[in-house]
């Protein structure tokens, strides 16, 4: 990707706005919330994703590469993923 943020479900949907707001929280420029065709640029996107990863790791998430996910462990009743 070159940092373009595109979607087929509509920029103003609740889910898309939530993702854009999270990106802003991790360093994306606020203009992505109002731009018709938001764009971050590759360099900025890398910094934002590093910030997001650090945030998740500080809260106990672990990233594993070159592996396949066979199943998700979902907490009963809450629908929250507890592991893979």
């Amino acid at each position: 990707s070159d940092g373009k943020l595109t979607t087929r479900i509509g920029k103003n949907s609740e889910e898309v706005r939530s993702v854009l707001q999270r990106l802003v929280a991790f360093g994306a420029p606020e203009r992505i919330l109002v731009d018709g065709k938001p764009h971050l640029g590759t360099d900025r996107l890398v910094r934002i994703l590093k910030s997001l990863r650090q945030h998740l790791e500080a809260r106990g998430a672990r990233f594993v590469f070159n592996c396949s996910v066979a199943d998700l462990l979902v907490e009963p009743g809450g629908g929250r993923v507890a592991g893979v």
Side-chain angles (χ1 to χ4, degrees):
S1 168
D2 63 356
K4 288 186 189 87
L5 302 174
T6 59
T7 176
R8 293 187 180 126
I9 61 173
K11 183 177 180 312
N12 292 320
S13 74
E14 186 176 326
E15 295 86 357
V16 172
R17 292 219 35 96
S18 175
V19 170
L20 294 176
Q21 289 168 345
R22 300 272 180 176
L23 289 171
V24 169
F26 288 101
E30 288 189 23
R31 71 175 180 270
I32 68 169
L33 300 173
V34 295
D35 284 353
K37 293 184 179 180
H39 182 265
L40 295 174
T42 303
D43 294 341
R44 186 178 287 139
L45 184 58
V46 169
R47 287 193 304 270
I48 292 166
L49 293 178
K50 282 183 180 179
S51 177
L52 174 60
R53 181 176 171 185
Q54 289 170 349
H55 172 81
L56 293 172
E57 287 175 332
R59 283 152 183 78
R62 195 180 84 177
F63 290 80
V64 180
F65 299 94
N66 298 317
C67 296
S68 298
V69 174
D71 199 6
L72 294 177
L73 304 174
V74 181
E75 293 179 353
R80 185 175 172 175
V81 175
V84 292

